[in-house]
C-alpha cells in the first residue's frame, strides 16, 4: 500500500501522485516558452519577408527548445527526488519541509537547483 501524504488542507495523495503533479508543473514551462516563441516567430517572419523556407528552420528549433528544456528539467527533478509537497502543490521542495541539507529525506539540495531549473527555463 502506498503511503498517503497530506500536505495541505483537503489535499490527498501519495508520492506517485505528488511526483506526477510536480513533473507536469515543470513541463508546463513549455507554455510560456511557446508564447515567447510566437513573438520571436512573428519578428523573424517580418524580417524574412514571410519566406516559408527560411521560417521552417526556425520553427524546428522553437519546437525542440520549448519541449526539450522543460522535459529535461522535469526528468532531472524527478530522478533526483526534488519533487515534494511544498505548500498547496508538489514541486521543487525539501521533505520534510523544515529540514536542512543532509537532514532531509528528499530534496535536501533543492535550492541549488531552483534558480537554474525552475526559474531559469
Amino acid at each position: 500500500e502506498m503511503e498517503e501524504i497530506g500536505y495541505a488542507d483537503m489535499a490527498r495523495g501519495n508520492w506517485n501522485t505528488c511526483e506526477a503533479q510536480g513533473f507536469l508543473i515543470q513541463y508546463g514551462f513549455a507554455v510560456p516558452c511557446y508564447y515567447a516563441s510566437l513573438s520571436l516567430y512573428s519578428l523573424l517572419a517580418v524580417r524574412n519577408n514571410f519566406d516559408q523556407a527560411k521560417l521552417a528552420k526556425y520553427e524546428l528549433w522553437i519546437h525542440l527548445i520549448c519541449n526539450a528544456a522543460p522535459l529535461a528539467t522535469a526528468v532531472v527533478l524527478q530522478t533526483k527526488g526534488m519533487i515534494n509537497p511544498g505548500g498547496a502543490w508538489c514541486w521543487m521542495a525539501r521533505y520534510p519541509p523544515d529540514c536542512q541539507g543532509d537532514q532531509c529525506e528528499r530534496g535536501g539540495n533543492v535550492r541549488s537547483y531552483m534558480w537554474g531549473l525552475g526559474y531559469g527555463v
Side-chain angles (χ1 to χ4, degrees):
E1 186 175 316
M2 299 296 290
E3 176 190 356
E4 185 173 301
I5 51 175
Y7 46 87
D9 290 340
M10 298 179 62
R12 297 291 176 260
N14 57 36
W15 284 110
N16 291 337
T17 58
C18 183
E19 286 184 345
Q21 181 186 43
F23 186 94
L24 292 173
I25 289 171
Q26 184 65 25
Y27 185 66
F29 278 92
V31 174
C33 181
Y34 270 112
Y35 277 124
S37 299
L38 286 172
S39 298
L40 177 63
Y41 190 80
S42 298
L43 172 69
L44 293 170
V46 170
R47 286 187 140 189
N48 290 299
N49 242 357
F50 297 91
D51 182 354
Q52 290 299 317
K54 288 182 180 177
L55 291 174
K57 66 180 178 181
Y58 297 123
E59 189 174 348
L60 172 67
W61 282 104
I62 287 170
H63 289 299
L64 284 174
I65 291 168
C66 287
N67 281 294
L71 180 62
T73 58
V75 168
V76 167
L77 289 176
Q78 188 165 9
T79 57
K80 298 245 183 220
M82 293 186 190
I83 297 175
N84 296 302
W89 54 78
C90 293
W91 192 44
M92 287 190 270
R94 296 179 179 126
Y95 187 81
D98 56 353
C99 70
Q100 296 292 325
D102 292 340
Q103 300 169 340
C104 299
E105 292 176 37
R106 298 167 46 100
N109 59 347
V110 73
R111 297 280 182 226
S112 62
Y113 283 80
M114 216 171 241
W115 285 99
L117 294 181
Y119 305 126
V121 171

